[in-house]
Amino acid sequence: MWSQAVTGRKSFLKEGTAVMAVSTAVIIEAGIGALTLGFAEAGFKVIEAFEKDKKAVNIYRHNVNGKISEYSLSKLPLEEIPDADVIVINLGNIPSFKRNLREIPKEYLLAEENLRRALEILKHKNPAVFCFVMNRNAHRTSGWSEFVRELSDLCYRIIWQVADSRKMTGFPVTEAKVYIIGCRLPDCTFRFPEPKVSEKEIPFWELISKDVEEGWYYDIGKNKIEESSRKDGFLCWKRDRYTEQSYVGWNQIKMPMVRIDGRVRKLTHREVARLKGFPESFDIDISNKACSYRLLVYEPNVQVTRLIAENLNDILTPSPFQKMQMLNSQKFEQVFLRYLRHKNGTIEASVSTIWRSECSYRYKDTAVYFELKFYSSDFSMKQNIYKACEKLAKKGVNEDCIILVLANDVPDEVKMECKKDYGIFLWDVKNLLWLFEEYAMIKNEFIALLNYTTDMIEPVKPDPYIFETPEIKQDSQALAGDEAKPQMDNSHKSEKVQEELGLKEKLQRIKPGKEQSRQYEEVCIEILRYVLADYLMLWQIQEKTDNGMYRFDLCCKIKNMVDHDFFNTIRQYINTKYIVFEFKNYSEKITQKEIYTTEKYLYEKALRKAAIIISRKGADDNALAAARGSLREIGKLILCLSDKDLLKLLDMKDKNERPVGDFFEAMLDDLLIHLEK
């Protein structure tokens, strides 16, 4: 069981808004900023970095925008680590994996401690992706396989590679780091970047300065230099002396040298930074030159990190399908948790990331572990359910029962197999409709998420039913037996009325004018989602159109299998699958200007030829004439509603005597009957 709630990417500013595209990262053992710069250049937002060395922290703060805190990996409290898509840890200070030594040196004990701590962080934070950077020979040591196995046991797909800086960037260096990527996203497609063609190496003269004047760089021990030519090039420390090398090799103590026009000197700190991929603007404090050199050499290559981070960002940046899946999944979570709170139980802990939602819940003496799934279609759903149950069964959950909650229709035989083979109970859409019948607003919020109509779905009592049995209405229409549909008692009716009165009051309390236009839009959307949940889906609030010039407020899609005359007519004869909504918080009636503006958003080839404009007092005569003209001349349907119409819709939903769609059917009939030549 978890100790606190965990969230992944900050996907929603508030309910109903679009998914943010910016991926986030946390950097641990950040050094002077190479990992942070690499991820930032790849488009990540680095929320926070952690580094123990005070000199490194000072250089980092001088060059990198963002928060950094002074903690080592081993001392970093778990609760101090913010939520992010990717957790990046530099494990380059670990010399190698050692086992079965009689006397284990202190540095290896620290290495073991850091490895254990890295695993603890993953278990606690559950990031969608992690990235570990290690020394180039880490994979050749005896403990490597065991470490990778432990990472895999955390349900990550593990991919690793020795990243050669020269092959990937063209820098003339012989450095490499092991990058380990762990991904728990569904169908993870991460691949390491292809090596750049090595013949496109960056020319020597582009990296080396000819006007170095500071004498310290020329203070060298010439008796330790072995020269076989007088050509310009690098000299690097090998064993006990400097020898000519085609590429720079790093040594923590002995700085590489360069020979230019026959004169030998040490590489400057600026040149070392260039070879490490740092930007020219990166400022290095060289008051302690030996220390600053070691800090630079310890860093991974910025540009190698950037290339890998770009590929990570690709798998974290959702496709349109994934955006919709994420949006629906998080809305489904909100609705279900709202229901649990209504039942007066306690949500003891929860995990909510962009890809999964789980919670531990206690109702009186019963402890339940819920996992929520929202599949966009039935394609491969059966196999996905079995995979989810298999993972849940391996978790070792301590609660009394585990329930997989799905916003889909699941065959009874699949439920029985999951219960028999894995000990997992399934609640599906039939069970949720039964449960949510107690709370009208929750039920309609749930139905609004679905891409199909629920008219033909018969609610069924879930197994197990963990709550107190709702009061069943005892009359001639009530159904007998355990599977009877719950009827709302007086308290629930009262709550329903209060919720709907709340919508009416919200609407009526908003003052006309620009200052409260956003509040008016939000309340109108809330009302529409409540009254039209049976007919429409998506409920996509628009920020702006692609070119940024025009902005409509809301776009909804007509659900599959909706069978109502109004929606059938506009689908078949208006040729629309989507309906645009606009909200005008004007003190006066809207004019023909608003009709013509809305008309611009409607396109036949985009299956978007219908719009509904909602305003405080409706439309004036000229606006209505313009709407009729739009329909008559170019076949675009624009309906105009007022606050009074919204209140009527709420009453129709409350009384449930006629379908809400009849209201729009009557408007369309009136429009078509009175359409002029």
Side-chain angles (χ1 to χ4, degrees):
M1 186 182 295
W2 324 274
S3 60
Q4 67 178 55
V6 181
T7 56
R9 182 186 316 200
K10 301 283 188 290
S11 299
F12 295 92
L13 295 174
K14 58 184 172 183
E15 184 179 353
T17 59
V19 180
M20 292 176 64
V22 179
S23 302
T24 57
V26 167
I27 314 290
I28 302 174
E29 298 288 320
I32 62 175
L35 288 171
T36 299
L37 290 173
F39 272 80
E41 288 180 14
F44 280 80
K45 178 181 179 181
V46 177
I47 298 173
E48 188 170 2
F50 300 92
E51 169 57 44
K52 62 182 178 300
D53 187 284
K54 290 186 180 297
K55 184 172 178 62
V57 169
N58 289 335
I59 295 175
Y60 185 105
R61 285 177 174 156
H62 185 65
N63 289 279
V64 182
N65 291 325
K67 182 179 180 182
I68 184 168
S69 301
E70 294 185 28
Y71 282 111
S72 66
L73 171 61
S74 60
K75 302 298 183 183
L76 174 58
L78 296 177
E79 60 274 12
E80 291 291 324
I81 304 172
D83 304 322
D85 295 323
V86 184
I87 289 181
V88 187
I89 306 180
N90 188 355
L91 296 171
N93 62 331
I94 296 179
S96 65
F97 297 89
K98 294 291 183 180
R99 297 288 187 276
N100 303 320
L101 296 178
R102 292 182 181 178
E103 294 185 3
I104 302 177
K106 182 178 179 181
E107 61 267 26
Y108 292 118
L109 291 175
L110 177 61
E112 292 288 340
E113 182 182 359
N114 282 341
L115 291 175
R116 299 273 74 78
R117 191 59 173 171
L119 289 170
E120 287 177 16
I121 289 171
L122 295 184
K123 291 176 184 177
H124 181 76
K125 300 303 297 183
N126 291 297
V129 174
F130 70 80
C131 174
F132 291 168
V133 185
M134 306 182 74
N135 287 336
R136 67 182 302 164
N137 293 319
H139 65 292
R140 295 178 177 173
T141 52
S142 59
W144 174 259
S145 297
E146 180 183 342
F147 181 60
V148 172
R149 181 190 59 77
E150 290 186 75
L151 292 172
S152 299
D153 287 345
L154 299 178
C155 299
Y156 285 97
R157 179 192 174 204
I158 306 301
I159 314 164
W160 63 271
Q161 180 172 297
V162 179
D164 187 307
S165 295
R166 180 172 62 87
K167 291 180 179 179
M168 292 183 71
T169 67
F171 289 119
V173 293
T174 57
E175 70 174 4
K177 296 280 187 181
V178 175
Y179 284 77
I180 312 175
I181 305 298
C183 181
R184 66 194 319 167
L185 302 177
D187 304 317
C188 178
T189 57
F190 176 80
R191 296 289 183 274
F192 278 96
E194 293 293 327
K196 305 283 185 184
V197 283
S198 57
E199 58 267 21
K200 289 187 178 179
E201 291 174 4
I202 298 173
F204 172 89
W205 54 267
E206 286 189 9
L207 300 165
I208 303 303
S209 303
K210 288 193 173 184
D211 55 352
V212 175
E213 297 180 359
E214 188 170 346
W216 183 87
Y217 293 108
Y218 294 94
D219 184 11
I220 58 176
K222 293 194 175 183
N223 59 330
K224 292 291 186 179
I225 298 176
E226 184 177 291
E227 296 180 281
S228 57
S229 72
R230 302 297 295 174
K231 295 188 300 182
D232 289 354
F234 301 111
L235 297 99
C236 303
W237 186 262
K238 294 289 185 180
R239 296 185 178 88
D240 60 349
R241 65 188 59 249
Y242 283 96
T243 60
E244 294 179 3
Q245 302 291 329
S246 300
Y247 308 113
V248 174
W250 303 117
N251 182 287
Q252 287 281 358
I253 306 299
K254 301 290 188 177
M255 290 185 73
M257 296 188 184
V258 62
R259 182 172 53 223
I260 304 175
D261 298 333
R263 193 176 184 189
V264 177
R265 62 167 172 80
K266 302 169 189 172
L267 285 178
T268 67
H269 291 76
R270 170 61 54 207
E271 291 163 343
V272 173
R274 286 181 193 140
L275 290 165
K276 282 287 184 175
F278 284 92
E280 287 297 303
S281 59
F282 196 87
D283 188 17
I284 308 157
D285 176 11
I286 57 173
S287 56
N288 186 329
K289 293 183 175 62
C291 177
S292 296
Y293 168 72
R294 285 194 296 272
L295 289 174
L296 280 166
V297 171
Y298 176 73
E299 294 293 289
N301 189 285
V302 174
Q303 299 310 313
V304 171
T305 301
R306 175 184 61 80
L307 292 170
I308 293 172
E310 284 176 348
N311 285 13
L312 285 177
N313 205 8
D314 286 343
I315 67 169
L316 284 165
T317 302
S319 65
F321 171 78
Q322 290 171 326
K323 286 182 181 180
M324 188 55 59
Q325 178 74 16
M326 291 157 55
L327 186 66
N328 288 336
S329 295
Q330 291 212 4
K331 284 185 176 179
F332 179 43
E333 175 196 359
Q334 292 167 359
V335 169
F336 189 74
L337 294 184
R338 184 178 166 194
Y339 171 78
L340 293 183
R341 286 190 288 268
H342 270 65
K343 301 302 290 185
N344 296 320
T346 303
I347 299 171
E348 296 185 337
S350 67
V351 172
S352 177
T353 72
I354 60 175
W355 299 107
R356 62 192 245 272
S357 179
E358 304 165 10
C359 77
S360 184
Y361 179 74
R362 180 169 293 276
Y363 182 79
K364 297 187 176 180
D365 296 328
T366 304
V368 185
Y369 184 102
F370 288 109
E371 179 165 332
L372 310 181
K373 295 288 184 183
F374 190 106
Y375 296 119
S376 296
S377 72
D378 293 339
F379 182 77
S380 297
M381 186 177 69
K382 184 176 178 180
Q383 292 84 348
N384 289 332
I385 289 173
Y386 290 144
K387 287 179 183 177
C389 287
E390 186 177 359
K391 288 182 180 179
L392 276 171
K394 291 180 179 179
K395 278 184 176 289
V397 177
N398 296 323
E399 279 77 356
D400 298 328
C401 65
I402 304 173
I403 300 176
L404 180 61
V405 185
L406 302 112
N408 304 82
D409 193 1
V410 181
D412 290 340
E413 59 268 22
V414 174
K415 292 184 178 182
M416 289 187 289
E417 288 176 21
C418 292
K419 181 179 177 180
K420 177 183 175 183
D421 297 342
Y422 303 105
I424 308 295
F425 295 94
L426 266 61
W427 289 358
D428 70 349
V429 63
K430 298 185 294 291
N431 306 132
L432 293 172
L433 290 173
W434 193 96
L435 292 167
F436 296 164
E437 186 67 28
E438 293 184 81
Y439 307 106
M441 292 293 288
I442 291 177
K443 178 183 176 183
N444 281 278
E445 286 286 335
F446 172 62
I447 291 174
L449 296 177
L450 305 177
N451 62 1
Y452 54 87
T453 180
T454 60
D455 291 344
M456 303 303 293
I457 297 178
E458 184 66 29
V460 176
K461 185 177 181 180
D463 174 34
Y465 184 69
I466 64 173
F467 310 105
E468 290 182 347
T469 304
E471 181 180 332
I472 304 299
K473 204 172 183 180
Q474 301 298 323
D475 59 25
S476 59
Q477 300 299 319
L479 300 174
D482 288 340
E483 299 304 312
K485 184 176 178 180
Q487 304 293 321
M488 289 184 293
D489 60 21
N490 291 333
S491 63
H492 292 144
K493 283 186 177 180
S494 175
E495 178 185 336
K496 176 181 177 183
V497 171
Q498 287 303 316
E499 285 180 321
E500 292 174 5
L501 283 176
L503 288 176
K504 293 178 181 179
E505 289 175 354
K506 284 181 185 178
L507 179 64
Q508 293 166 339
R509 289 177 180 177
I510 294 174
K511 296 179 180 180
K514 188 174 181 179
E515 289 184 359
Q516 295 195 12
S517 59
R518 187 66 176 178
Q519 294 93 316
Y520 182 68
E521 177 183 322
E522 291 170 354
V523 172
C524 287
I525 292 173
E526 191 176 355
I527 292 171
L528 291 171
R529 189 159 49 221
Y530 173 62
V531 300
L532 294 176
D534 293 317
Y535 306 107
L536 302 178
M537 58 176 288
L538 297 187
W539 300 98
Q540 285 290 82
I541 299 171
Q542 305 296 309
E543 295 305 322
K544 61 182 179 180
T545 55
D546 291 340
N547 61 15
M549 294 178 63
Y550 301 108
R551 176 190 183 276
F552 56 85
D553 299 322
L554 176 69
C555 186
C556 293
K557 181 181 179 181
I558 301 172
K559 287 188 176 185
N560 301 329
M561 298 182 292
V562 164
D563 187 15
H564 185 278
D565 188 62
F566 171 75
F567 294 99
N568 291 339
T569 299
I570 66 173
R571 251 190 321 221
Q572 295 174 22
Y573 300 107
I574 305 296
N575 193 31
T576 191
K577 184 69 175 175
Y578 301 87
I579 301 176
V580 168
F581 290 88
E582 284 215 284
F583 309 100
K584 306 296 183 183
N585 192 31
Y586 297 170
S587 57
E588 302 297 333
K589 292 182 177 183
I590 63 170
T591 67
Q592 59 188 5
K593 175 185 175 183
E594 284 70 45
I595 302 297
Y596 295 141
T597 300
T598 301
E599 195 179 83
K600 296 175 182 178
Y601 309 142
L602 305 181
Y603 302 96
E604 181 172 7
K605 292 185 178 180
L607 301 180
R608 196 175 74 202
K609 288 186 65 182
I612 297 176
I613 305 176
I614 299 175
S615 59
R616 305 310 298 258
K617 295 185 178 181
D620 66 18
D621 291 341
N622 290 334
L624 294 175
R628 292 193 296 271
S630 178
L631 179 61
R632 181 179 60 250
E633 295 167 13
I634 51 180
K636 296 180 180 181
L637 174 64
I638 300 176
L639 300 178
C640 301
L641 273 63
S642 64
D643 284 6
K644 185 178 179 180
D645 294 320
L646 291 181
L647 296 175
K648 287 180 181 177
L649 287 169
L650 285 170
D651 288 337
M652 287 182 71
K653 185 71 175 178
D654 179 27
K655 294 175 181 178
N656 199 27
E657 295 172 352
R658 296 179 62 187
V660 173
D662 288 359
F663 181 92
F664 296 94
E665 182 181 353
M667 289 192 71
L668 180 59
D669 288 343
D670 183 70
L671 179 61
L672 292 173
I673 289 170
H674 296 93
L675 198 62
E676 309 95 335
K677 288 184 179 181

